[in-house]
Amino acid sequence: MCGIVGIYAYRDASTSVDLDELRRMRDHMQRRGPDGSGEWLSADGRVGLAHRRLAIIDLSQRGAQPMHTRDGKLSITFNGEIYNYRSLRAELERKGYEFESQSDTEVLLHLYRDRGPDMLRALRGMYAFGLWDAAERSMLLARDPYGIKPLYYSTHDGSLRFASQVKALLAGGRVPRAPDSAGSVGFHLWGFVPEPFTSCAAVSALQAGSSMLVSEAGVAPVRTHFSVAGAWAEACENAAAWSGDVGEHVQRAVRESVEAHMVADVPVSAFLSAGIDSGALAGVMSDHGTSLHAITLAFTEFAGKPDDEAPDAAEVARHYGFIHHVRRVDEHEFQQDLPAILEAMDQPTIDGLNTWFVSKATAELGLKIAVSGLGGDELFGGYPSFRQVPRLARALAWPSKTPGLGRATRSLLVPALRRLPRVHPKVAGTLEYGGSVTGAYWLKRGLFMPWELPGVLPADWARDGLARLAPEASLEALLDPMPRDPWAQVAALEAQSYMRNQLLRDTDWASMAHSLEVRVPLVDHVLLTQLAAALVHDDHTLSGKRWLAKAPRSPLPQRLVQRKKTGFSTPIDTWLQHAAVLDIWRAQPTLRAANCPWARRYACAIASLQTSR
């Protein structure tokens, strides 16, 4: 796992690459790659690539980047892991391609020469890269199907700049720092900045499952090589004809995914909570290896209380023979780490602090890779939204179609709800938004609603941001093509909205700040295509988690499977009461009135923006 940087002066009037700028961008991401650094400039000075390396596969210098083909016509800077690189390499060797390293990076170079941009459809993994084709004078940017690895770019002043972090682009000194109204509004609506927007107006995110080609002719339209919604839509078409034992099908597919994600030249460890997702993955991992380490995050305030997950996690670790490490965090450590957390937080978010501390604990053990159960809820229907969103949409389908009724009801309720602080303000919009799956999902996942924005943002700024973001249309675009099954619709929304923009992004910045690679076997497009039809075919009255729990050869203990799902609770919101960021919270009347669990995390996220201005 690494940090990547590139500059391509694709316009005739663009200035040549400034090597100092390239280095500033690269070295801002030193923690993403402490094992080495590299840089390359083209002979004409129009292209520059740079890299920070966290050595995982082929630890030798032959795996260093930027990497080039022997003839120098192709160059790449790559962040991620290609889990099927060995089979791809064997295929290329049969065609006569010769390799000089054992790295997956070199496979990408030869695969591009063999297939061009269509290579992306053959890849299984998490990745973001920039690949320079000297013959075509073009730069290919590409990102994995789920968006596990980030890739940001700017085409300001006729030059393409790209990097693994927004703050790295700004560190170069050439990208304007002006904030983006759409990104700001998106954060207030959701608690994260939705792609393709960022907190910076001059910077965009390359969307997940997409690629972009930049040449002397300019920036070509973004191309999609995988659609999560498309996979669920296809599954809905095939679900009726699907046959077989769902449990056995899940077991085989999950085992195969975990085996693929174990490929590494350094030890692989596991994040372990008391939940089914991490426990089941730990069980499957134990089927493939011995003397594995498992790390559990716990909090001093919770010791001996029901919120403490450490005892149940210890039972899982004993069951599967893991070397178990429990790392307890207290408020003092949190306050000490808070400045570093705000600096590492690449874009504002109301989450990610848990991953910061469990990643810190893992890195303290000298480990470079951890497997996470992230994605289990999104794939197997573990969230309440899988039941609640379709139910609300069905109940309000007809009333919501009455012209003007929803807006009129909201106008009447908003003033009344201000006198009822225990009732969430979103209730006012139930009739206006709740009659569709996307609207009901917004009510379930959203923080502020549009009519609340003037309380936290300047009115003109909020109006401009809403117009550019078009939140309702943006959500509907996540369901294009539309899966027929409401359960599958929620699965597509959760994967492409909440998981992509918050969980995966937060996992990236919080883990890479500790030079740790986190792998997510349940966030895998091959696994999705293998399981989606079976899961749609399955009885949605029961969570698919029951099948996941049986994936290891020795299933999870039944007591833990039947344990009530509580989510991962932390005392962080209480700790923030004593933090300096609380001044931001006090200055916001709407936040004070909201009295919501996320209010102080919002203040923390806003504080993170100050580190990039």
Side-chain angles (χ1 to χ4, degrees):
M1 202 61 58
C2 309
I4 63 172
V5 168
I7 303 175
Y8 172 27
Y10 63 93
R11 293 295 190 198
D12 290 340
S14 304
T15 57
S16 298
V17 174
D18 181 346
L19 184 57
D20 288 337
E21 178 192 3
L22 191 72
R23 289 171 175 169
R24 287 193 298 269
M25 293 162 63
R26 178 196 66 190
D27 293 340
H28 180 84
M29 301 184 292
Q30 190 273 340
R31 294 300 303 164
R32 295 186 72 93
D35 295 336
S37 64
E39 62 191 39
W40 169 79
L41 282 179
S42 62
D44 62 2
R46 308 288 290 179
V47 183
L49 300 176
H51 191 262
R52 294 290 326 191
R53 187 184 187 197
L54 181 65
I56 300 294
I57 293 176
D58 191 348
L59 310 186
S60 73
Q61 188 61 26
R62 291 173 301 179
Q65 298 185 47
M67 187 177 287
H68 318 275
T69 52
R70 188 179 299 173
D71 60 12
K73 292 182 179 180
L74 300 177
S75 304
I76 191 171
T77 182
F78 163 57
N79 172 30
E81 306 291 350
I82 306 301
Y83 299 122
N84 63 335
Y85 81 97
R86 289 173 177 164
S87 61
L88 291 171
R89 174 180 174 135
E91 178 185 338
L92 290 165
E93 286 178 327
R94 287 193 293 270
K95 293 183 176 182
Y97 289 92
E98 297 180 355
F99 288 79
E100 298 179 356
S101 75
Q102 298 299 316
S103 72
D104 50 352
T105 309
E106 190 176 6
V107 171
L108 293 177
L109 286 170
H110 291 309
L111 193 64
Y112 174 83
R113 174 161 284 171
D114 191 65
R115 305 187 189 183
D118 287 342
M119 66 179 283
L120 299 171
R121 301 185 186 279
L123 302 180
R124 180 179 193 174
M126 52 180 181
Y127 56 84
F129 63 79
L131 192 155
W132 170 247
D133 185 331
E136 298 293 329
R137 302 291 300 170
S138 66
M139 183 78 74
L140 176 68
L141 302 185
R143 194 168 173 218
D144 66 71
Y146 272 102
I148 302 169
K149 290 293 101 185
L151 186 56
Y152 301 102
Y153 69 93
S154 173
T155 53
H156 171 73
D157 72 7
S159 289
L160 169 71
R161 293 173 173 86
F162 64 89
S164 300
Q165 294 179 212
V166 174
K167 288 182 178 179
L169 287 171
L170 299 180
R174 296 289 183 88
V175 175
R177 294 174 175 267
D180 188 348
S181 62
S184 176
V185 163
F187 165 69
H188 285 80
L189 294 179
W190 297 100
F192 53 74
V193 180
E195 296 177 357
F197 300 101
T198 72
S199 54
C200 179
V203 178
S204 299
L206 180 64
Q207 296 187 70
S210 296
S211 63
M212 186 173 75
L213 196 66
V214 180
S215 68
E216 292 173 343
V219 181
V222 172
R223 294 179 56 189
T224 299
H225 56 267
F226 186 85
S227 164
V228 171
W232 281 111
E234 183 176 351
C236 291
E237 298 299 320
N238 298 332
W242 192 89
S243 62
D245 185 298
V246 176
E248 290 182 1
H249 191 62
V250 169
Q251 186 180 61
R252 285 194 302 270
V254 170
R255 286 180 177 180
E256 193 272 336
S257 183
V258 170
E259 183 177 6
H261 285 71
M262 295 283 283
V263 173
D265 292 332
V266 296
V268 180
S269 63
F271 291 163
L272 185 62
S273 69
I276 293 175
D277 303 335
S278 66
L281 291 184
V284 178
M285 289 174 67
S286 72
D287 295 338
H288 292 282
T290 58
S291 301
L292 298 173
H293 292 260
I295 300 89
T296 297
L297 181 65
F299 299 94
T300 302
E301 287 86 339
F302 289 169
K305 299 178 181 178
D307 286 330
D308 190 359
E309 293 198 338
D312 286 339
E315 181 179 343
V316 176
R318 285 193 299 271
H319 185 68
Y320 292 122
F322 272 75
I323 302 167
H324 192 214
H325 308 270
V326 176
R327 176 65 154 78
R328 292 198 177 271
V329 176
D330 58 18
E331 182 175 357
H332 176 71
E333 183 177 359
F334 169 76
Q335 299 294 352
Q336 279 191 319
D337 280 14
L338 188 55
I341 291 170
L342 297 180
E343 173 64 32
M345 190 182 290
D346 194 44
Q347 294 195 78
T349 173
I350 62 169
D351 210 346
L353 302 183
N354 306 335
T355 306
W356 169 275
F357 285 109
V358 72
S359 298
K360 178 182 179 182
T362 306
E364 287 170 345
L365 297 171
L367 297 165
K368 284 186 172 185
I369 304 177
V371 168
S372 167
L374 191 159
D377 288 313
E378 290 79 4
L379 182 60
F380 292 102
Y383 292 131
S385 59
F386 281 83
R387 301 181 301 277
Q388 296 170 353
V389 167
R391 189 184 305 154
L392 181 62
R394 285 194 301 269
L396 296 180
W398 287 107
S400 67
K401 292 179 181 178
T402 304
L405 179 61
R407 183 169 296 184
T409 303
R410 188 241 301 168
S411 299
L412 292 172
L413 284 178
V414 167
L417 292 177
R418 289 177 182 149
R419 298 190 293 272
L420 300 171
R422 294 185 179 275
V423 180
H424 199 288
K426 285 194 289 187
V427 170
T430 300
L431 192 58
E432 184 176 4
Y433 291 93
S436 68
V437 167
T438 51
Y441 179 76
W442 190 355
L443 290 170
K444 174 68 179 175
R445 281 294 186 194
L447 301 184
F448 294 107
M449 297 304 287
W451 61 87
E452 298 179 277
L453 292 180
V456 290
L457 291 171
D460 290 347
W461 184 256
R463 191 180 308 112
D464 180 71
L466 279 170
R468 293 182 57 240
L469 180 64
E472 292 178 84
S474 297
L475 280 177
E476 291 170 359
L478 296 180
L479 295 181
D480 183 16
M482 172 72 79
R484 291 191 302 180
D485 187 279
W487 189 93
Q489 293 168 16
V490 176
L493 287 170
E494 291 286 18
Q496 297 176 104
S497 180
Y498 175 57
M499 185 176 77
R500 177 178 299 168
N501 292 301
Q502 186 145 76
L503 298 183
L504 290 174
R505 187 183 301 161
D506 289 345
T507 296
D508 180 80
W509 70 258
S511 63
M512 293 308 295
H514 298 287
S515 306
L516 180 75
E517 173 177 303
V518 175
R519 296 183 175 184
V520 281
L522 300 179
V523 186
D524 179 271
H525 81 285
V526 175
L527 181 68
L528 172 62
T529 55
Q530 290 173 339
L531 291 185
L535 295 175
V536 173
H537 174 85
D538 194 23
D539 181 2
H540 298 326
T541 60
L542 296 172
S543 169
K545 292 289 194 72
R546 71 193 188 280
W547 304 126
L548 180 60
K550 297 178 181 179
R553 290 195 180 97
S554 175
L556 273 176
Q558 196 61 25
R559 184 185 72 80
L560 298 179
V561 176
Q562 295 174 345
R563 178 179 179 269
K564 183 179 179 182
K565 181 178 175 63
T566 59
F568 187 67
S569 58
T570 75
I572 286 173
D573 295 309
T574 301
W575 294 344
L576 281 169
Q577 294 182 29
H578 310 135
V581 297
L582 198 58
D583 292 340
I584 296 173
W585 180 77
R586 293 191 183 101
Q588 292 281 10
T590 303
L591 276 177
R592 293 202 310 273
N595 197 28
C596 292
W598 47 264
R600 293 183 180 88
R601 297 191 188 193
Y602 163 91
C604 186
I606 292 298
S608 76
L609 287 175
Q610 298 173 357
T611 67
S612 61
R613 290 179 180 168

